[in-house]
């Protein structure tokens, strides 16, 4: 089971004159300018003018099961074991971040990441009010280099997310406002040709037009899988991702075989080992000149130094931007230089929930400069621990802005994990948005006794939800009836059945 449920803590922003100093000089980022470079408002204007005063900061393990294990050339992923970060500013505005943990791709394992998150959070809570730029610099000094890039990204996400709420602008607008929707590819891991064909058929039915195929463990099997996918989904574009699995000779052989089969990949990602610069350059040159295929550097581009080498020696055509390997600010720097150097961009991720994928999606949609979108990770999770946030609908990610979200509270598991009471969260929401009505959706987590106790506490504090949704387990008919009767007769609160109503039979019973 998932460790905890994330709450959408969307609040009406304060507009009083006491906040003028926090909004001084704020402007939105513009879109990519004519030279292909970022104008840098987020990294300059907000960093220099927005004053950050962190009241609370904490991290918790974020463990989520997968639908099935994901196998790539260099790693097999059995489950998600990430870290979620929550930061609350002085005005009650809350931001969320996520540090994806995937050794050996990330340098951190989960215990180390938890320790470094705790260190960064303690430092933020002790810090006096200072500009966003100074706060991010402080985070960078604690979480330096590639060794802590994933944790740094998670803390930066949470800070920037909180700031976006405080200034009343959704993230995709801060990052440029080009769009609030992106279309992703869908990944097929290393599986048998039969399984690959089945997955390709499923994804075709769901509307995915680009499939990303993990390759690099077995050259012959990779070709067989490609043939099976093309037969099952003949109209799809496809991306090959070798995750460093081939030698340069093997990578060129793959391209030659595909050419003979009249199959041309839209992109060939990280064909060789990350430090095989000569091999990467050789594959890039032959792929482009002989087969018209672009090569992407992923593991080979871990920062500005790597990017400069790639640009100077013409080693790749596309750079894969991943927040977990660069951090948010590092990613913006790499994006700017890559665009200025005439390279194309791809945005990807590790295996993350909608916290990290939503942030990356906001960045990609807002900037509008990515040729390839690979943000399909939520489709591979068997549970979704996030309430609200970005919406994943088939192949599209709808990036919900602050203004479009409804106030709904998905409670219980997160609150227990973080030692935060339901009442405190509702009080904070009411203070920030005194005129709002609210719905509590318990997702079957309460016993009937716990639910009634919560109703009593809410009544005593004059906090009355308009609806109390699925308080008890779906099959606890007696408990549901008990809560419904007491809620309606004693407190005037309606109780809704969600998971308990799966058809006419259940509706008649209700």
């Amino acid at each position: 089971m998932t460790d905890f449920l994330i709450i959408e803590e969307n609040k009406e922003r304060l507009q009083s004159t006491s906040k003028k100093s926090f909004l001084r000089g704020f402007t939105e980022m513009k879109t990519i300018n004519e030279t292909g470079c970022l104008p840098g408002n987020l990294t300059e204007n907000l960093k220099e003018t927005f004053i950050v005063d962190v009241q609370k900061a904490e991290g918790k393990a974020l463990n989520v099961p997968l639908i099935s294990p994901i196998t790539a050339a260099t790693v097999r992923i059995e489950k998600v074991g990430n870290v979620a970060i929550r930061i609350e500013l002085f005005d009650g505005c809350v931001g969320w971040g996520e540090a994806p943990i995937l050794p050996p791709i990330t340098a951190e394992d989960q215990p180390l990441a938890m320790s470094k998150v705790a260190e960064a959070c303690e430092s933020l809570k002790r810090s006096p009010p200072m500009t966003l730029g100074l706060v991010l610099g402080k985070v960078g000094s604690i979480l330096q280099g590639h060794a802590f890039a994933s944790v740094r990204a998670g803390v930066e996400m949470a800070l920037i997310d909180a700031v976006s709420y405080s200034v009343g602008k959704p993230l995709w607008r801060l990052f440029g406002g080009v769009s609030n929707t992106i279309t992703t590819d869908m990944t097929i891991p290393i599986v048998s040709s039969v399984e690959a064909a089945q997955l390709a058929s499923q994804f075709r039915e769901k509307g995915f037009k680009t499939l990303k195929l993990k390759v690099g463990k077995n050259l012959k099997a990779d070709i067989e899988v490609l043939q099976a996918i093309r037969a099952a989904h003949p109209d799809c574009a496809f991306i090959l991702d070798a995750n460093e699995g081939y030698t340069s000779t093997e990578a060129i052989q793959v391209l030659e075989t595909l050419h003979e089969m009249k199959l041309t990949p839209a992109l060939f990602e990280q064909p060789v080992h990350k430090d095989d610069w000569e091999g990467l350059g050789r594959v890039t040159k032959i792929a482009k000149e002989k087969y018209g295929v672009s090569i992407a550097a992923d593991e080979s581009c871990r920062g500005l130094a790597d990017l400069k080498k790639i640009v100077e020696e013409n080693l790749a055509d596309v750079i894969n931007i991943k927040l977990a390997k660069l951090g948010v600010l590092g990613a913006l720097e790499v994006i700017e230089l890559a665009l200025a150097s005439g390279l194309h961009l791809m945005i990807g991720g590790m295996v993350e929930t909608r916290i990290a994928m939503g942030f990356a999606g906001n960045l990609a949609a807002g900037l509008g400069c990515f040729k390839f979108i690979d943000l399909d990770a939520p489709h591979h999770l068997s549970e979704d621990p996030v309430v609200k946030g970005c919406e994943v609908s088939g192949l599209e990610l709808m990036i919900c802005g602050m203004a479009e979200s409804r106030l709904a509270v998905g409670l219980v598991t997160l609150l227990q994990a973080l030692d935060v009471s339901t009442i405190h969260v509702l009080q904070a929401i009411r203070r920030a948005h005194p005129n709002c009505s609210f719905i509590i959706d318990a997702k079957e987590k309460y016993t009937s006794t716990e639910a009634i106790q919560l109703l009593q506490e809410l009544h005593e504090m004059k906090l009355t939800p308009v609806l109390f949704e699925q308080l008890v387990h779906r099959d606890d008919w007696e408990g549901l009836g008990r809560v419904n009767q007491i809620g309606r007769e004693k407190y005037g609160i309606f109780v809704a059945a969600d998971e308990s109503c799966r058809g006419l039979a259940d509706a008649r019973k209700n």
Side-chain angles (χ1 to χ4, degrees):
M1 292 294 293
T2 306
D3 276 357
F4 61 86
L5 192 70
I6 300 299
I7 297 177
E8 167 61 21
E9 297 177 270
N10 189 18
K11 303 178 181 72
E12 187 75 21
R13 302 301 152 232
L14 301 177
Q15 299 297 326
S16 67
T17 55
S18 64
K19 285 198 63 183
K20 285 183 179 177
S21 62
F22 287 79
L23 299 173
R24 185 177 63 250
F26 170 77
T27 58
E28 294 182 23
M29 282 188 71
K30 299 177 182 177
T31 57
I32 306 300
N33 65 23
E34 290 80 2
T35 65
C37 299
L38 298 178
N41 288 42
L42 179 63
T43 55
E44 294 173 10
N45 197 346
L46 269 181
K47 283 170 63 177
E48 293 173 0
T49 61
F50 188 93
I51 307 299
V52 173
D53 185 358
V54 174
Q55 294 296 295
K56 297 178 183 178
E58 53 202 336
K60 283 290 179 178
L62 181 57
N63 299 320
V64 187
L66 295 168
I67 295 172
S68 59
I70 298 174
T71 301
T74 55
V75 68
R76 177 179 170 86
I77 308 166
E78 301 285 347
K79 65 177 181 178
V80 173
N82 297 343
V83 179
I85 299 105
R86 178 186 183 275
I87 290 176
E88 182 175 339
L89 304 182
F90 90 108
D91 57 1
C93 295
V94 173
W96 286 94
E98 179 179 0
I101 307 302
L102 190 58
I105 297 174
T106 62
E108 313 99 318
D109 58 16
Q110 194 179 47
L112 177 59
M114 290 286 292
S115 173
K116 296 304 290 186
V117 166
E119 181 183 346
C121 286
E122 284 303 313
S123 177
L124 289 174
K125 288 187 289 186
R126 291 195 306 266
S127 297
M130 61 180 71
T131 65
L132 176 61
L134 289 176
V135 172
L136 292 171
K138 190 178 186 72
V139 170
S141 67
I142 297 169
L143 305 169
Q144 294 185 27
H146 181 68
F148 301 115
S150 182
V151 174
R152 186 171 69 251
V155 177
E156 288 174 336
M157 285 181 210
L159 280 166
I160 295 170
D161 188 35
V163 168
S164 80
Y165 281 137
S166 190
V167 300
K169 298 288 183 181
L171 283 170
W172 63 275
R173 288 199 181 279
L174 288 187
F175 286 122
V178 173
S179 176
N180 68 343
T181 305
I182 55 174
T183 300
T184 183
D185 62 20
M186 190 65 178
T187 301
I188 296 179
I190 293 178
V191 292
S192 70
S193 58
V194 173
E195 291 175 284
Q198 291 171 344
L199 289 171
S201 295
Q202 292 173 19
F203 299 151
R204 180 186 185 186
E205 291 174 4
K206 291 178 179 179
F208 287 94
K209 294 179 172 58
T210 302
L211 300 180
K212 175 173 167 174
L213 177 63
K214 294 288 189 180
V215 295
K217 285 183 76 74
N218 183 300
L219 192 59
K220 184 174 181 292
D222 291 341
I223 297 300
E224 291 174 355
V225 165
L226 273 165
Q227 290 174 315
I229 289 173
R230 179 43 57 96
H233 194 341
D235 301 322
C236 76
F238 64 94
I239 294 170
L240 299 181
D241 185 2
N243 287 115
E244 310 179 70
Y246 292 133
T247 65
S248 59
T249 300
E250 289 172 332
I252 292 165
Q253 185 179 343
V254 167
L255 290 171
E256 176 62 31
T257 304
L258 292 176
H259 181 70
E260 292 171 358
M261 297 165 57
K262 294 182 170 55
L263 295 176
T264 303
L267 187 67
F268 195 173
E269 189 180 348
Q270 199 59 48
V272 299
H273 189 274
K274 58 189 173 187
D275 296 323
D276 183 7
W277 298 107
E278 182 181 349
L280 181 62
R282 178 178 174 229
V283 176
T284 295
K285 180 176 171 51
I286 293 174
K288 191 172 187 177
E289 294 179 357
K290 191 172 182 180
Y291 304 112
V293 175
S294 295
I295 301 297
D298 179 5
E299 289 89 342
S300 288
C301 188
R302 293 151 290 191
L304 280 175
D306 287 339
L307 176 59
K308 288 173 183 175
K309 182 176 180 67
I310 289 167
V311 170
E312 289 168 4
E313 300 180 25
N314 199 24
L315 299 179
D317 310 299
V318 178
I319 301 299
N320 190 342
I321 302 296
K322 290 181 178 174
L323 302 182
K325 69 177 180 179
L326 299 166
V328 179
L329 296 189
L332 290 171
E333 291 174 345
V334 168
I335 289 167
E336 184 167 13
L337 178 57
L339 289 172
S341 303
L343 297 178
H344 292 294
L345 293 173
M346 176 181 193
I347 190 160
M350 306 300 184
V351 184
E352 298 136 306
T353 72
R354 287 190 294 121
I355 301 173
M357 287 291 94
F359 193 98
N362 271 280
L363 186 146
L367 290 177
C369 59
F370 289 88
K371 185 174 181 179
F372 303 96
I373 307 288
D374 179 34
L375 299 177
D376 62 333
H379 288 282
H380 299 284
L381 306 179
S382 65
E383 297 178 10
D384 183 3
V386 181
V387 174
K388 300 303 289 180
C390 75
E391 297 176 7
V392 180
S393 176
L395 69 165
E396 289 191 338
L397 276 73
M398 297 295 295
I399 312 302
C400 289
M402 173 271 295
E404 291 92 9
S405 297
R406 74 180 175 105
L407 257 177
V409 186
L411 296 173
V412 185
T413 316
L414 169 69
L415 303 176
Q416 292 170 353
L418 294 182
D419 297 322
V420 179
S421 78
T422 302
I423 298 298
H424 287 164
V425 171
L426 291 172
Q427 285 176 317
I429 291 174
R430 177 48 56 86
R431 283 195 301 270
H433 195 342
N435 300 318
C436 78
S437 58
F438 61 93
I439 297 168
I440 296 177
D441 184 358
K443 297 291 184 188
E444 310 180 70
K445 298 295 184 181
Y446 287 124
T447 64
S448 59
T449 300
E450 290 170 336
I452 292 166
Q453 181 182 346
L454 177 58
L455 288 173
Q456 174 64 31
E457 292 179 10
L458 291 171
H459 178 72
E460 291 172 356
M461 305 187 74
K462 296 182 172 56
L463 294 171
T464 305
V466 295
L467 188 67
F468 213 163
E469 189 176 349
Q470 198 59 50
L471 299 121
V472 299
H473 189 273
R474 69 190 72 184
D475 297 323
D476 183 6
W477 298 105
E478 182 180 350
L480 182 62
R482 179 176 170 230
V483 176
N484 183 50
Q485 181 179 1
I486 293 174
R488 187 175 65 248
E489 294 179 358
K490 192 170 182 180
Y491 304 112
I493 295 172
F494 289 102
V495 174
D498 181 359
E499 288 86 348
S500 289
C501 188
R502 293 152 289 192
L504 279 173
D506 287 342
R508 291 187 180 111
K509 188 174 181 70
N510 281 311

